Amino acid sequence: MEYAGYGEAPKYMHFWTGVSVIAGALRRKVWIDEIYFKWYPNFYIIFVAPPGVVSKSTTASIGHNLLKQIPGIQYGPDIATWQALVQTFANSKEAFEYNGKLHVMSAISLVASELGNLLDPTDKQMVDLLVKLWDGEPVRKSTKNNGDDFIENSWINVQACTTPAWVAGNFPEYMIGGGLSSRCLYVYAEKKPKYIAYPSQHVPKGMDEMAEKLVQDLTSISKLTGQYVLTADAIEWGNNWYITHSSERHPELADERYGGYLARKQSHVHKLAMVLAAATSDKLEITAEHLMLAFTMVTDLEKDMLKVFEKIGKSDTSVYTDRLLTYVKTSGIVTYQDAYRYVHSHFPSFKDYEGILAGCIKAGYLKLITTEAGATLQFMKDKE
């Protein structure tokens, strides 16, 4: 789904938008049955990037504007309290036929251009509700005006956008390893892949025809119903991967805060495998190739997961030190005086600034160059 907004977002953001859209078409009508539980193809996909770097909300809307054309697809509000969200689900109840029986579900998708409009991380009731909805658990909530609302066979699919600064300012440190965060997939970007001033000049030919075909495909996908079955090679690959994943260490996510995510990685992989299978065939079958690709795509997000949360729990001094390094890195070489001016509001004492700067130089992040014209700072490497 890269036919609009071309060049404004990395290709993997378009990929994950496609995942969210196909999942939104599938809803709770397909599943993988593991007897003790079922996997359904729903996601909490969060785009994270600094303001103006990539077109986060535009990229998300490209796909979901297509999905909104499919009959039967229900969307919830992008700004909501937990009470309003419960009411939305209570009103979304519908039934579909499978094996001669009617099955009830409450399925909605949400697209939020600002995650903060949908989620207040300090609102425990909203956080708990989103956890239960992701798991597909039944929910009963008492609301002031409507009494008890019961959500039967819930299914929720969320795509939202935010910035690293919002995450750092609103996510308490304990939430990184908490139930909600471990259920999210974070798609991170920090620079534009291309500089496109006028997207209209880069639109491929036949865009409208492509959109029509995508709507037709999504319509067909929305009619898929039933249990996805893993082939013998998929089960073999899944068993081998699970043993390795469970028994080996994960140095890239060694922090105990990521234990919840690692415990749910199997769920993320199998949810994505259903989407990949639906994108290529009407056959309700998952092969080893589907699982391997799903594993690769989920794993590729992990290298940037640390960047999403790196400022949470840091002291103000540490945050401003990072800003100083980013400033010098972006500028290439800056004068000693300009560097101090940049962070003067946080380090009013020149002695404190010199101490921070000396630490960066000793650690090899910056290099001090002294010439007749004066002292300058040169960026050497990022902080580990």
Side-chain angles (χ1 to χ4, degrees):
M1 296 185 178
E2 298 178 54
Y3 57 89
Y6 179 77
E8 286 299 307
K11 290 183 178 180
Y12 51 81
M13 281 196 168
H14 289 281
F15 171 84
W16 285 104
T17 294
V19 169
S20 180
V21 169
I22 294 173
L26 290 170
R27 294 160 291 170
R28 196 184 165 104
K29 295 175 66 177
V30 298
W31 59 87
I32 296 174
D33 192 348
E34 288 303 311
I35 309 302
Y36 299 102
F37 61 87
K38 292 179 181 179
W39 281 310
Y40 296 96
N42 64 306
F43 298 87
Y44 290 166
I45 296 173
I46 314 299
F47 285 176
V48 185
V53 171
V54 296
S55 303
K56 302 185 292 292
S57 58
T58 300
T59 304
S61 66
I62 289 171
H64 284 277
N65 285 341
L66 298 176
L67 182 60
K68 289 175 181 179
Q69 300 179 47
I70 311 304
I73 304 301
Q74 300 192 56
Y75 275 84
D78 60 351
I79 301 176
T81 61
W82 70 261
Q83 295 94 335
L85 192 57
V86 168
Q87 186 61 46
T88 298
F89 269 99
N91 295 334
S92 69
K93 185 182 297 185
E94 59 181 307
F96 63 92
E97 185 177 351
Y98 176 64
N99 282 346
K101 297 182 179 179
L102 286 179
H103 296 258
V104 175
M105 68 175 179
S106 296
I108 66 170
S109 287
L110 296 172
V111 182
S113 59
E114 297 291 343
L115 179 60
N117 291 336
L118 179 65
L119 171 66
D120 175 2
T122 64
D123 185 344
K124 188 176 185 299
Q125 293 198 74
M126 175 63 99
V127 171
D128 290 345
L129 175 62
L130 290 173
V131 167
K132 287 187 176 182
L133 291 174
W134 189 89
D135 292 341
E137 295 181 6
V139 176
R140 185 181 296 277
K141 285 282 189 180
S142 297
T143 57
K144 184 177 181 180
N145 298 323
N146 299 295
D148 285 351
D149 281 322
F150 179 65
I151 304 175
E152 185 177 4
N153 296 332
S154 62
W155 182 95
I156 187 172
N157 187 49
V158 175
Q159 185 165 5
C161 308
T162 190
T163 65
W166 188 91
V167 173
N170 291 275
F171 270 44
E173 189 168 6
Y174 67 81
M175 191 173 175
I176 301 176
L180 178 58
S181 187
S182 66
R183 288 165 171 79
C184 297
L185 292 174
Y186 299 93
V187 186
Y188 179 83
E190 57 187 356
K191 62 181 180 179
K192 291 180 180 287
K194 292 183 179 181
Y195 296 99
I196 305 295
Y198 303 103
S200 62
Q201 303 303 306
H202 298 267
V203 174
K205 293 181 179 180
M207 186 184 72
D208 291 339
E209 291 79 2
M210 184 185 296
E212 290 179 4
K213 291 180 180 179
L214 288 171
V215 170
Q216 292 174 6
D217 287 344
L218 288 171
T219 301
S220 297
I221 289 171
S222 71
K223 296 176 182 179
L224 295 177
T225 305
Q227 177 182 342
Y228 268 96
V229 177
L230 276 68
T231 61
D233 64 336
I235 293 174
E236 180 181 5
W237 186 92
N239 278 327
N240 292 335
W241 173 82
Y242 187 75
I243 292 171
T244 300
H245 176 73
S246 302
S247 59
E248 291 187 354
R249 299 178 63 185
H250 301 273
E252 69 284 358
L253 295 175
D255 192 318
E256 64 180 10
R257 297 182 300 178
Y258 300 103
Y261 162 77
L262 290 171
R264 290 184 176 84
K265 186 172 181 177
Q266 184 191 26
S267 297
H268 291 308
V269 168
H270 284 76
K271 286 170 178 281
L272 180 54
M274 280 186 277
V275 168
L276 295 174
T280 55
S281 173
D282 290 340
K283 191 174 183 180
L284 299 182
E285 181 179 87
I286 293 175
T287 66
E289 287 75 17
H290 292 135
L291 288 179
M292 286 187 284
L293 179 55
F295 163 74
T296 298
M297 297 308 297
V298 171
T299 302
D300 279 350
L301 299 178
E302 295 172 2
K303 65 181 182 297
D304 289 327
M305 193 179 296
L306 300 177
K307 295 179 181 179
V308 174
F309 299 111
E310 64 181 355
K311 290 183 174 62
I312 294 178
K314 284 188 173 183
S315 65
D316 287 345
T317 297
S318 179
V319 170
Y320 274 86
T321 301
D322 289 345
R323 289 185 182 179
L324 174 62
L325 290 174
T326 300
Y327 172 63
V328 179
K329 179 181 179 180
T330 303
S331 303
I333 296 178
V334 300
T335 66
Y336 197 86
Q337 186 179 42
D338 285 345
Y340 180 49
R341 286 174 178 166
Y342 185 75
V343 293
H344 176 264
S345 62
H346 186 73
F347 300 116
S349 169
F350 189 71
K351 184 177 180 180
D352 291 342
Y353 167 70
E354 283 191 314
I356 293 296
L357 196 57
C360 291
I361 293 171
K362 289 180 180 179
Y365 304 136
L366 299 177
K367 181 179 181 181
L368 179 63
I369 303 172
T370 304
T371 66
E372 293 182 358
T376 59
L377 295 170
Q378 181 179 358
F379 181 81
M380 299 302 292
K381 68 174 182 178
D382 290 306
K383 287 178 69 176
E384 289 84 2

